[in-house]
Amino acid sequence: FAVPDDSPLANRDLRNAVEHFDERLDNYLARPVVGQIIPQHVGYCTPVSEAPLHVFKDFYVESLTFILVGEAHAMRPIITELVRLHNLLTNCEKEGLRLPR
């Protein structure tokens, strides 16, 4: 499928962040945490709070950004690459299930 080394699918940062979320959360909560805790949030902007805000999983719809324990991951490049691979597979199916050369 000609997935290059610089493909967003080759980058393992997001996979590792999700896979080790519990460890990262444990480390985050090992220090004193004061304020409002929001375990997960989906929206257009950061929630507003008068107290310090702690959001562990955050997804911004407009920018397609996923934030996991403070670390941002751009989803648009991943989606673009998945659509490219989907189109290759659709063409493969039309060609009698033969992989592209």
Side-chain angles (χ1 to χ4, degrees):
F1 293 109
V3 176
D5 290 339
D6 63 347
S7 165
L9 297 179
N11 185 331
R12 306 240 170 150
D13 292 342
L14 176 58
R15 186 204 68 180
N16 290 338
V18 171
E19 186 174 328
H20 299 289
F21 171 74
D22 56 339
E23 296 167 27
R24 297 178 66 205
L25 186 59
D26 286 345
N27 290 336
Y28 187 90
L29 295 174
R31 59 187 171 92
V33 176
V34 175
Q36 183 178 1
I37 294 176
I38 300 176
Q40 56 191 10
H41 169 261
V42 175
Y44 289 95
C45 60
T46 304
V48 177
S49 175
E50 292 180 11
L53 186 62
H54 306 274
V55 182
F56 303 131
K57 295 179 184 176
D58 223 348
F59 184 76
Y60 296 108
V61 177
E62 227 169 323
S63 65
L64 295 177
T65 303
F66 178 53
I67 301 175
L68 195 62
V69 192
E71 185 177 304
H73 301 274
M75 299 306 291
R76 192 175 311 275
I78 294 171
I79 292 167
T80 301
E81 184 68 357
L82 288 174
V83 168
R84 184 185 77 81
L85 291 174
H86 171 76
N87 291 337
L88 281 173
L89 287 168
T90 300
N91 290 337
C92 177
E93 180 183 33
K94 290 176 186 174
E95 297 293 325
L97 301 176
R98 288 191 209 107
L99 294 174
R101 293 177 186 223

